[in-house]
Amino acid sequence: MKSRLFKVFNTTAILFFISISFVNGQITSSSASGRNNTRTQEVEQSQARFNQITNDAGKYFKQALVSLQDNRRSSAREDFDKSVEVFLLSGVNVQSNQKLRECYSQLTETIYRMEFPSKQQPNIRSLSATCGWNIDNKLADDITKLVQPAQSNPANNNALTASNTGGNQSDALMQVGFTEQKFEASPLDELAKLELTTEEQQVETNPVAQQQYQYAVYAVSNKSLGFSFQVHPMIQQFVNYYQGRGRSTMETGLYRSGMFMRMARRIFREEGIPENVAWLGQVESAWKPSALSWAAASGLWQFIPGTGARYGLRRTAYVDERNSFEKATRASAQYLKFLANRYSGNWELAMAAYNSGEGNVDRAIRRAGVANFWVAYPYLPRETRNYVPNILATILIANNPQQYGFGHVRPAPQLMYDQIRVPPSTNLSLLAQASDTSTEYLRYLNPELRTNMSPPEPYIIRVPAGKANEVVALFKKLPAVNRNMASVTKTAVGETWQNISNRTGVPVEQLQAANSGANAPRGKIVVPNSNVKKIVYSRPTNAPISMPQTSGVRVVKAKSGDTVAKIAAREGVSAVELAKYNGLLPTSNLSTGREIKIPSR
């Protein structure tokens, strides 16, 4: 099970067992020849159906290869999905026919090898021969070369460290996975172009601005901010900007700061950095972990690849730790500490170097003849000239929002989560099921992940707060089954193993074996999938699928846009009772394919 393509839904097992009459139907006739003719026709019809399935799957697979060759990875992902869906939605028992079984098995394995390249390359030619698809050998070979993993050698590593944009190595790394990371524009890109208006530049002739300027002088002189800097009129000019046309930007930043600032203060304090310097994160990213600048700087603290590598932030096919919450915050504090020491405790110069690099600041100091930011100011890049007074203005406002007209902004609650160490290559879909959340929310909590799977090594993953013990308890059962063939389901009060077997298509003995031999199911349980030996794909349809009737409980699947109340109306039950029965609210929005248990009437 890998990324969105590899989610296993309980319908998969059922699909393998329905409509098997193509090959095993019982024929009743008084004539032996009639029986033979009927069987012959049945076999021919079955064979035609099997051929149609493989041909349709092949069309989608070849379309996906062309899209992948053109680097249209989202389109490729959709067509790869469709090629697998042809089998799953056919109503045919794939295991009953050797050609179907082998074609399906090789198809899922080949797509996996293309999505997550490794030393074991995809064998598209072999797949084509098995399924009878007649794929052009050159196309097959080109795709195989395209998805080869980037070579890990000293030369490549040095190139990555030295490059501000990542270069070819970056391009190669981004080819892993059909599910792209989602990024937001960094506020630094706009900052570089920002020009203050004449009105914003007025300090001496503006009584309010002059009063605030004197307040800043007082705050710095009594060391209430935790560090010293030279108060300059340009700092007040940025205060003026934020009180005018930049107000919404400041309001958004102050709000979002609540999610991360407590963590940032703690880590900066542990590293010996003044806590208020952590407000640098607001100017860098507006507290968006997915912020990405034109220069390929990424994360809350906007590390470029080379600087991130200097401070231990790994960048592989599976993770980009520049987007991590804790690791990137600590790396930022350590880098700022290095810069502060380099410039003898001058925080303006340290901040300037954080933005434009030590080389630019050193050259500006040499030209100015003195290690003073405001003297070196004309010799610094334009973005850096804006950057430092912007941060200092943000620090002043954040420390006394009422004074500057932002007292109405209530910071967001701190982002809460638990951290657990998961086994190598753990599918986020499985983790989401185990922690009662969605894959999308896990990606939000773990923005350093580049795919819907953890790295091929034990790795610490964030899960919703309060769910760690529950997830760990469930994962203790998983060594007994293949993690990439398992899913998780909730049980209702009174359900038996036979009930669950009926709705999942998994034999009772396998369910019990996967759940430590428990006599009765309770809470969340592991559902192994033993019908396909390698990788199982499944996607929900838009229509709700009624599951088999069980003793005391019935299960339906939500369609797109469903809420608990909508399903209750369709099923003729109380929305309040249905919500309570499933641990939800009547207004809860349901993801497509979500199982909802309905008590039998």
Side-chain angles (χ1 to χ4, degrees):
M1 287 167 30
K2 308 294 177 186
S3 87
R4 185 177 68 83
L5 295 173
F6 298 85
K7 293 181 181 177
V8 178
F9 294 90
N10 291 332
T11 55
T12 305
I14 296 171
L15 288 169
F16 289 130
F17 289 95
I18 62 176
S19 301
I20 61 174
S21 60
F22 286 107
V23 292
N24 292 327
Q26 294 295 317
I27 310 299
T28 303
S29 174
S30 58
S31 167
S33 61
R35 287 196 299 270
N36 289 338
N37 289 337
T38 301
R39 287 173 181 168
T40 300
Q41 292 175 0
E42 198 172 70
V43 169
E44 290 175 352
Q45 290 173 356
S46 297
Q47 192 58 53
R49 178 63 175 143
F50 296 155
N51 290 340
Q52 185 65 46
I53 291 169
T54 54
N55 289 340
D56 289 348
K59 290 177 184 177
Y60 287 120
F61 184 81
K62 283 185 273 189
Q63 287 176 195
L65 293 182
V66 173
S67 295
L68 189 57
Q69 188 178 43
D70 294 340
N71 202 32
R72 292 181 286 113
R73 304 185 74 79
S74 294
S75 297
R77 177 194 61 208
E78 291 175 5
D79 283 330
F80 281 137
D81 272 358
K82 290 176 182 177
S83 70
V84 175
E85 285 179 342
V86 169
F87 289 91
L88 294 177
L89 302 180
S90 66
V92 172
N93 181 2
V94 176
Q95 300 299 298
S96 68
N97 179 273
Q98 182 179 359
K99 180 180 178 181
L100 282 185
R101 183 173 63 250
E102 292 179 355
C103 180
Y104 178 86
S105 179
Q106 285 194 36
L107 172 64
T108 56
E109 182 73 11
T110 301
I111 294 174
Y112 166 60
R113 295 299 172 196
M114 287 190 288
E115 183 168 22
F116 299 104
S118 66
K119 292 181 180 179
Q120 187 173 346
Q121 297 180 359
N123 195 333
I124 300 174
R125 288 196 184 196
S126 175
L127 172 65
S128 176
T130 298
C131 300
W133 285 345
N134 192 31
I135 294 175
D136 180 73
N137 286 339
K138 184 178 185 304
L139 175 61
D141 294 343
D142 287 346
I143 294 296
T144 300
K145 293 178 182 177
L146 179 66
V147 300
Q148 284 181 351
Q151 297 298 313
S152 178
N153 56 52
N156 279 347
N157 290 340
N158 290 339
L160 176 61
T161 301
S163 171
N164 284 353
T165 61
N168 294 332
Q169 181 78 353
S170 172
D171 295 338
L173 291 176
M174 288 301 289
Q175 297 306 306
V176 177
F178 301 129
T179 303
E180 299 89 349
Q181 279 179 297
K182 296 179 180 179
F183 294 101
E184 302 174 76
S186 166
L188 288 179
D189 293 343
E190 289 300 317
L191 178 63
K193 300 179 290 185
L194 180 63
E195 291 186 5
L196 296 172
T197 65
T198 302
E199 183 179 358
E200 289 164 350
Q201 294 177 30
Q202 295 301 321
V203 175
E204 292 184 3
T205 59
N206 182 331
V208 174
Q210 185 60 220
Q211 181 182 7
Q212 292 173 347
Y213 179 80
Q214 295 303 323
Y215 166 78
V217 172
Y218 172 76
V220 172
S221 64
N222 70 8
K223 301 181 180 179
S224 63
L225 299 176
F227 71 105
S228 297
F229 56 88
Q230 181 180 341
V231 180
H232 188 277
M234 192 171 180
I235 300 173
Q236 181 60 41
Q237 292 172 11
F238 270 93
V239 171
N240 295 345
Y241 163 76
Y242 281 124
Q243 291 175 321
R245 60 188 174 119
R247 173 171 289 278
S248 62
T249 300
M250 177 58 66
E251 289 175 338
T252 299
L254 291 176
Y255 170 77
R256 290 186 59 85
S257 71
M259 303 171 69
F260 302 105
M261 196 58 185
R262 186 181 298 179
M263 172 203 68
R265 284 185 180 277
R266 173 181 57 81
I267 291 176
F268 273 50
R269 183 171 61 250
E270 291 171 353
E271 295 294 334
I273 303 299
E275 294 179 29
N276 270 318
V277 175
W279 285 104
L280 174 147
Q282 179 157 321
V283 175
E284 286 284 348
S285 67
W287 302 111
K288 296 176 181 178
S290 56
L292 181 69
S293 78
W294 67 269
S298 187
L300 286 171
W301 306 98
Q302 290 292 284
F303 277 103
I304 59 173
T307 309
R310 279 171 56 188
Y311 287 89
L313 300 178
R314 294 187 304 155
R315 190 163 175 265
T316 72
Y318 302 93
V319 295
D320 187 342
E321 291 180 342
R322 297 178 302 159
N323 297 101
S324 168
F325 300 154
E326 300 87 354
K327 290 180 180 178
T329 302
R330 193 167 297 280
S332 176
Q334 291 172 349
Y335 183 33
L336 283 164
K337 187 174 184 177
F338 163 79
L339 294 171
N341 289 335
R342 182 185 184 94
Y343 299 110
S344 304
N346 186 309
W347 282 103
E348 295 107 303
L349 292 174
M351 292 174 183
Y354 190 98
N355 176 252
S356 63
E358 304 96 293
N360 281 326
V361 173
D362 290 348
R363 282 190 292 273
I365 291 173
R366 285 196 298 269
R367 296 181 69 182
V370 60
N372 180 293
F373 173 80
W374 298 108
V375 178
Y377 179 90
Y379 309 111
L380 289 166
R382 177 180 172 185
E383 178 183 325
T384 306
R385 297 199 298 265
N386 282 345
Y387 179 83
V388 173
N390 194 336
I391 293 174
L392 298 176
T394 299
I395 291 172
L396 288 169
I397 294 172
N399 277 269
N400 196 343
Q402 193 73 38
Q403 163 84 10
Y404 293 97
F406 293 93
H408 63 286
V409 179
R410 174 176 289 183
Q414 181 184 3
L415 187 62
M416 303 296 290
Y417 47 81
D418 293 342
Q419 299 187 80
I420 59 174
R421 187 181 298 276
V422 299
S425 302
T426 296
N427 189 342
L428 294 193
S429 174
L430 182 62
L431 269 175
Q433 295 171 51
S435 56
D436 295 318
T437 189
S438 65
T439 302
E440 289 74 18
Y441 187 62
L442 286 184
R443 288 294 294 269
Y444 177 77
L445 288 180
N446 298 274
E448 67 269 35
L449 297 182
R450 305 185 77 155
T451 70
N452 286 344
M453 157 177 98
S454 70
E457 63 192 54
Y459 199 78
I460 294 176
I461 295 290
R462 302 174 199 88
V463 297
K467 293 294 181 179
N469 291 338
E470 196 173 337
V471 174
V472 170
L474 190 69
F475 265 65
K476 286 181 178 178
K477 303 176 183 179
L478 288 175
V481 296
N482 187 329
R483 288 194 318 279
N484 291 336
M485 295 166 59
S487 61
V488 175
T489 189
K490 286 184 178 179
T491 61
V493 177
E495 275 197 296
T496 66
W497 288 119
Q498 188 59 55
N499 296 152
I500 297 169
S501 176
N502 291 343
R503 65 180 171 90
T504 62
V506 178
V508 169
E509 58 273 15
Q510 292 184 19
L511 287 169
Q512 287 183 299
N515 291 275
S516 306
N519 291 328
R522 293 183 60 186
K524 293 190 186 73
I525 63 165
V526 176
V527 179
N529 190 325
S530 59
N531 294 302
V532 178
K533 293 183 178 179
K534 293 189 178 179
I535 300 160
V536 182
Y537 286 51
S538 178
R539 282 176 54 180
T541 62
N542 287 332
I545 302 174
S546 294
M547 306 299 284
Q549 183 88 18
T550 61
S551 175
V553 67
R554 198 159 47 85
V555 181
V556 298
K557 288 206 168 190
K559 63 181 182 180
S560 178
D562 263 350
T563 63
V564 173
K566 286 182 180 179
I567 291 182
R570 282 204 302 268
E571 298 295 330
V573 298
S574 165
V576 174
E577 292 301 319
L578 186 62
K580 186 186 300 182
Y581 194 71
N582 287 272
L584 299 167
L585 297 173
T587 55
S588 294
N589 293 314
L590 305 174
S591 58
T592 304
R594 169 80 180 261
E595 289 184 359
I596 295 296
K597 301 177 183 66
I598 300 176
S600 297
R601 293 182 292 243

